[in-house]
Amino acid sequence: MSSPATSITNVGTRSDDKTDATRNKSSRKPSVNVGSTERTISTVGGAALALYGLSRGSLAGIAIAAIGGGLIYRGTTGHCNVYEAINVDTAHGKHGGVSVPGNSGIKVEKSITINKPASELYKYWRNFENLPRFMDHLESVTVSGEKNSHWVAKAPAGTTVEWDAEIINEKENELIAWRSLEGADVDNAGSVRFEEATGGRGTVVKVSIEYNPPGGIVGATIAKLFGEEPNQQVQEDLRRFKQVMETGARSTTEGQSAGAGR
Amino acid sequence: MKAICWYGKDDVRVDTVPDPKILNQSDAVIKITSTAICGSDLHLLNGYIPTMQKGDILGHEFMGIVEETGSEVKNLKRGDRVVVPFTISCGNCFFCQKEMFSLCDNSNPNAWMAEKLYGYSPSGLFGFSHMMGGYAGGQAEYARVPFADVGPIKVPDELEDEQVLFLSDIFPTAYMAAENCRIEPGDTVAIWGAGPVGLLAIKSAFMLGAGRVISIDSVEERMALARQAGAETLDFNDEEGVLELLKQKTGGRGPDSCLDAVGLEAHGTSMGAIYDRIKATAFLATDRPNALRQAIVGCRKGGTVSVPGVYGGLLDKMPIGAAFNKALTIKMGQTHVQHYLKPLLARIKGGEIDPSFIITHRMRLEDAPEGYASFKHKQDNCIKIVLKPGQSAATTNGH
């Protein structure tokens, strides 16, 4: 069976997408197909890349500067040729309650085995306010109802992004699935599944996270250049979840003694 | 406090650093009374272990008095005298519960680094690179010890520091290596390297029922200690060749098990050894497995090769055909120290062994940089150095 995060992305009506794309293609001057948050990130990120590229002065530096220039164009005009070519439009609203429109986002699936019963792990995770204890990109999650919560996540350059989320599927001790609601800074959806490992070896925890990165796919690529790799991030979140559940705390050396490092 | 810090190849310094603090409530802080320099610390000194950072506090063989405990620590209290295992282990994961403590799932905060190289990460270690957790080590006046209920073992007052200090690493390491030899009564065990681990492995092999132990080294004072421990010795540089001599000494059959207590910086003048040096220097390989090659080729058919010597990265020209066609068993790994603490402390208490026979030098903590240099160059008959934080030169000036 496919994960709930996958299935919810297929809920939307695809005809809206096509309409938007057709409209963009038919206009003569470069039309706006990039959302406003994304345009800002494109412009700022593009400028940073351009400056970085120029300062290197090498052939690779010139290439980086050119990419930066392209991003500035994209940010200031709101038009992305790449998006046009792949029929993506992040400027024009939502599509029938879909959190992450089909195949346009980033999807990460990871799993880990934890030496604890599923019931214990489920109970901890089900209280979303615990999530920032092991998901480092989260600043806070506030539970506002049986199914609803408000999430604040860290974004580049000390900023934050926020969204409301609802639980769309749950089965005690087995599964929790959630997604962001209309008006989210970052559209996202996720699910976690708890399965008993063979031979009494604890519980296999399978997580699927899907999101539309701020700045689109291009933004995600820039983020990767600066070390924010979503696969690694989810893996580390799971590792910390395991540490917290198996040992009561995250393993750390932060704040330990060291020489001055001359 | 004062601590011995790594600053690069052949550059260790005495530094003044902040005192350690409790970071997790399962931590303890130990005031260190004795701490040793390990042969594997030389791999750090020689720049063979990646992911060291300037200012890292060295040391993974230490003991002392509990100074402070986190609120969740139940088994220890201030004033307890303890030996600390070099492996950091949570006690709760799949591996710890199988007593494979050096494979703990949870104690390495930098597990992702080790995963890149090894696929899966072993446990965190004290003072042994960031890939192994980046934990500040015990060549210092104080150390923070995570999972204080799982690692440290309380030791009775009647035993001296020097009798129990090596429970932290090299005695369990030697003992596990001997156990890994799967010794049957009367077996012949060949041991490459008569350094501290090799010497303690001789004793351990006899404890486990070996009939004969053949120790292979080239440093005379080490071979003398090996003979005192009951081993026959064989000179690594003998012109007849180690493999031929081993064959002669074992009636043409070969030793039942071979133990490599040398590790990744083996010396040697064979073509293989010279080839290794060139490759390692050019960073085409990281480890020089000369002792391991001999152990594999020298071992009898159906025998066992045990590897406590540290290997970190890649090696080349392994005689895998010899291992396969002779149906050898190869056992290796970092020591599951916690598994061995109680039984080995009992052996020390019962007078079966006094591991302090390997100590040749006692120094102040502040003298560690000179200690490292003489240990590296095997000057002044140096075999094992114990550092005494907080003591004056007068009381440590004994050989």
Side-chain angles (χ1 to χ4, degrees):
Chain A
M1 176 192 161
S2 66
S3 72
T6 311
S7 51
I8 60 164
T9 60
N10 298 327
V11 174
T13 50
R14 304 291 298 147
S15 56
D16 287 356
D17 282 359
K18 277 177 192 151
T19 317
D20 282 349
T22 316
R23 191 179 60 220
N24 288 337
K25 266 186 180 168
S26 62
S27 52
R28 282 169 182 259
K29 60 182 176 183
S31 59
V32 174
N33 65 353
V34 181
S36 61
T37 315
E38 195 179 330
R39 285 176 65 177
T40 312
I41 290 169
S42 272
T43 313
V44 176
L49 271 187
L51 284 174
Y52 171 69
L54 290 173
S55 72
R56 286 178 45 140
S58 61
L59 208 58
I62 291 164
I64 291 170
I67 296 169
L71 284 171
I72 296 172
Y73 165 81
R74 181 178 184 272
T76 51
T77 63
H79 180 80
C80 175
N81 292 326
V82 177
Y83 276 10
E84 187 179 275
I86 59 174
N87 277 359
V88 167
D89 182 350
T90 58
H92 295 94
K94 296 264 186 289
H95 314 279
V98 178
S99 288
V100 184
N103 300 327
S104 67
I106 286 182
K107 184 171 181 179
V108 179
E109 286 180 336
K110 291 282 169 192
S111 63
I112 201 160
T113 305
I114 301 183
N115 203 11
K116 290 280 174 187
S119 55
E120 206 175 309
L121 306 179
Y122 174 89
K123 196 173 156 205
Y124 191 88
W125 196 297
R126 179 60 180 80
N127 179 4
F128 280 180
E129 298 194 354
N130 283 329
L131 299 186
R133 287 190 61 189
F134 59 90
M135 291 185 172
D136 273 4
H137 65 289
L138 290 180
E139 211 157 86
S140 67
V141 179
T142 315
V143 173
S144 53
E146 178 53 29
K147 303 271 184 199
N148 292 73
S149 50
H150 182 73
W151 302 48
V152 182
K154 294 166 195 158
T159 59
T160 56
V161 288
E162 305 191 18
W163 64 88
D164 288 320
E166 66 170 356
I167 290 179
I168 52 169
N169 194 4
E170 63 181 316
K171 206 170 169 195
E172 194 172 1
N173 301 338
E174 285 180 28
L175 160 79
I176 312 167
W178 63 94
R179 68 168 176 194
S180 59
L181 294 171
E182 192 83 40
D185 286 343
V186 180
D187 297 327
N188 66 90
S191 71
V192 58
R193 203 171 267 285
F194 305 94
E195 294 168 4
E196 198 181 320
T198 53
R201 294 176 188 193
T203 305
V204 177
V205 180
K206 291 181 176 165
V207 164
S208 169
I209 304 274
E210 206 167 342
Y211 65 101
N212 259 339
I217 304 289
V218 179
T221 309
I222 295 175
K224 257 187 211 176
L225 286 176
F226 289 91
E228 306 249 326
E229 220 285 298
N231 271 295
Q232 191 67 38
Q233 198 176 58
V234 176
Q235 185 73 69
E236 293 304 311
D237 287 347
L238 276 185
R239 199 196 307 282
R240 285 184 290 260
F241 178 54
K242 177 181 161 82
Q243 289 169 359
V244 169
M245 297 314 297
E246 287 187 344
T247 78
R250 303 159 50 140
S251 293
T252 185
T253 55
E254 260 172 66
Q256 72 172 0
S257 316
R262 279 160 293 192
Chain B
M1 67 165 182
K2 287 207 167 58
I4 307 307
C5 296
W6 185 93
Y7 278 97
K9 190 172 181 294
D10 291 321
D11 185 3
V12 299
R13 304 178 196 170
V14 184
D15 234 345
T16 301
V17 306
D19 287 352
K21 296 187 297 264
I22 300 281
L23 300 178
N24 269 335
Q25 290 311 315
S26 54
D27 294 349
V29 171
I30 311 286
K31 182 185 200 308
I32 294 165
T33 53
S34 294
T35 175
I37 302 177
C38 180
S40 63
D41 288 329
L42 293 182
H43 302 325
L44 303 173
L45 184 76
N46 294 337
Y48 273 87
I49 306 288
T51 72
M52 287 296 289
Q53 290 174 13
K54 289 183 179 183
D56 285 349
I57 300 174
L58 293 167
H60 57 268
E61 299 180 356
F62 59 99
M63 63 177 295
I65 311 291
V66 175
E67 177 82 6
E68 194 186 347
T69 55
S71 60
E72 286 167 17
V73 176
K74 293 181 191 75
N75 298 342
L76 297 182
K77 58 178 192 308
R78 190 182 154 88
D80 283 344
R81 180 163 169 257
V82 295
V83 177
V84 180
F86 78 100
T87 43
I88 301 172
S89 314
C90 79
N92 294 326
C93 68
F94 173 81
F95 298 96
C96 285
Q97 296 205 332
K98 281 181 148 351
E99 305 232 327
M100 297 192 282
F101 292 99
S102 74
L103 305 176
C104 173
D105 253 348
N106 290 316
S107 61
N108 184 357
N110 302 327
W112 64 273
M113 291 188 197
E115 283 176 355
K116 293 239 190 289
L117 202 54
Y118 301 151
Y120 301 91
S121 173
S123 77
L125 307 176
F126 286 105
F128 215 76
S129 87
H130 287 262
M131 187 171 82
M132 296 304 184
Y135 286 98
Q139 286 164 14
E141 290 177 296
Y142 296 88
R144 168 203 171 220
V145 177
F147 304 114
D149 275 340
V150 183
I153 184 170
K154 281 185 252 189
V155 287
D157 288 342
E158 68 262 26
L159 295 174
E160 299 288 328
D161 271 22
E162 292 180 359
Q163 289 175 280
V164 290
L165 173 61
F166 302 136
L167 286 171
S168 58
D169 175 356
I170 53 174
F171 184 24
T173 294
Y175 191 87
M176 179 168 128
E179 237 180 37
N180 280 347
C181 284
R182 308 193 302 168
I183 296 167
E184 289 176 17
D187 270 2
T188 299
V189 180
I191 300 179
W192 275 255
V197 171
L199 291 168
L200 289 166
I202 295 170
K203 294 262 191 185
S204 301
F206 282 125
M207 283 178 192
L208 290 165
R212 291 171 69 196
V213 177
I214 302 168
S215 168
I216 303 150
D217 205 302
S218 59
V219 181
E220 186 39 49
E221 61 269 16
R222 296 180 177 219
M223 290 161 80
L225 274 182
R227 280 189 290 271
Q228 277 174 36
E232 302 157 49
T233 55
L234 207 158
D235 192 332
F236 192 78
N237 296 323
D238 195 301
E239 279 179 9
E240 266 200 81
V242 170
L243 296 176
E244 180 55 32
L245 288 168
L246 270 180
K247 190 175 263 184
Q248 287 171 22
K249 270 181 174 291
T250 54
R253 171 176 282 174
D256 300 290
S257 45
C258 292
L259 191 157
D260 168 11
V262 174
L264 64 84
E265 291 184 68
H267 296 277
T269 50
S270 69
M271 277 313 288
I274 292 163
Y275 175 82
D276 291 338
R277 286 206 149 203
I278 294 166
K279 284 203 89 165
T281 308
F283 291 103
L284 294 170
T286 58
D287 299 355
R288 290 187 263 134
N290 209 33
L292 183 55
R293 285 191 194 115
Q294 283 192 350
I296 289 172
V297 176
C299 194
R300 78 150 159 84
K301 293 182 282 184
T304 305
V305 174
S306 163
V307 189
V310 170
Y311 290 87
L314 308 172
L315 47 75
D316 198 2
K317 299 278 184 288
M318 286 311 297
I320 192 70
F324 177 82
N325 288 294
K326 290 193 295 177
L328 299 186
T329 299
I330 302 181
K331 291 180 73 97
M332 59 184 104
Q334 293 283 14
T335 312
H336 307 308
V337 181
Q338 289 88 335
H339 174 72
Y340 293 96
L341 287 175
K342 275 188 188 159
L344 294 188
L345 176 61
R347 285 186 191 267
I348 296 170
K349 238 169 114 179
E352 266 184 85
I353 182 171
D354 179 355
S356 64
F357 76 96
I358 59 172
I359 301 173
T360 52
H361 292 65
R362 296 160 180 91
M363 296 179 175
R364 299 181 309 155
L365 181 68
E366 292 86 335
D367 298 329
E370 295 86 76
Y372 268 93
S374 54
F375 188 30
K376 174 176 174 168
H377 300 293
K378 299 188 180 66
Q379 292 159 344
D380 192 21
N381 297 340
C382 184
I383 294 175
K384 189 70 179 177
I385 299 171
V386 174
L387 305 167
K388 304 274 189 178
Q391 283 195 18
S392 65
T395 54
T396 54
N397 194 17
H399 276 204

